[in-house]
Amino acid sequence: MITVASSGKASRATDSAGTEVLPVDVETISESTEAALSKQMATSTRKDMDASLPEIVGHLNLLLGEDLGADEDVRELFRKGYRLIDLQNRPTAETPSFGVFIYLRDVADITRRLLWIYTQRHGLGAP
């Protein structure tokens, strides 16, 4: 697979057949994490937070699969990310709303930080 960096907010990859594959949609991840981080506990419902979780966790999981370097800071973000997506650490139906709120913010924060590193490594505009 050949990666082609664009001047926009996303990178494009082409496989040997020439079809485009978007491994990381920078704009979508940026918008999703921004929305999650802008939620306020007082005005967010548990249902709303639960609905946001799969998308944000999916974005984090995607970025954890990218080669973002081996600096100590990056490795620490990866450790935190893997801890967060571990099924034992995810909120359950019994988790209080405040716990879900904090978890959602933590996942969105780590995702956003990894996204920034991803854009820097690929010469893309900041998310």
Side-chain angles (χ1 to χ4, degrees):
M1 184 170 294
I2 303 167
T3 300
V4 180
S6 69
S7 60
K9 289 194 166 198
S11 73
R12 294 186 325 265
T14 56
D15 62 17
S16 57
T19 57
E20 285 192 13
V21 179
L22 296 174
V24 175
D25 184 345
V26 174
E27 189 171 340
T28 297
I29 295 172
S30 182
E31 290 171 0
S32 298
T33 55
E34 182 66 31
L37 291 170
S38 67
K39 290 185 188 303
Q40 296 182 8
M41 182 65 199
T43 59
S44 297
T45 66
R46 171 66 188 259
K47 184 178 178 182
D48 181 41
M49 289 183 282
D50 285 343
S52 299
L53 278 175
E55 180 180 26
I56 299 298
V57 169
H59 293 323
L60 176 57
N61 197 31
L62 176 67
L63 287 166
L64 289 172
E66 293 293 316
D67 178 10
L68 300 178
D71 295 346
E72 182 57 35
D73 293 343
V74 173
R75 289 195 315 250
E76 180 60 26
L77 287 173
F78 268 71
R79 283 191 286 273
K80 288 178 181 179
Y82 280 118
R83 270 194 305 270
L84 285 168
I85 64 170
D86 185 325
L87 291 175
Q88 294 180 354
N89 296 324
R90 292 189 192 181
T92 65
E94 291 78 34
T95 305
S97 294
F98 182 72
V100 176
F101 179 76
I102 295 300
Y103 178 82
L104 179 61
R105 290 188 61 81
D106 287 348
V107 172
D109 177 59
I110 295 295
T111 302
R112 192 137 181 103
R113 292 165 69 185
L114 289 172
L115 182 64
W116 185 85
I117 294 167
Y118 176 87
T119 61
Q120 297 306 301
R121 285 188 59 87
H122 292 283
L124 305 173

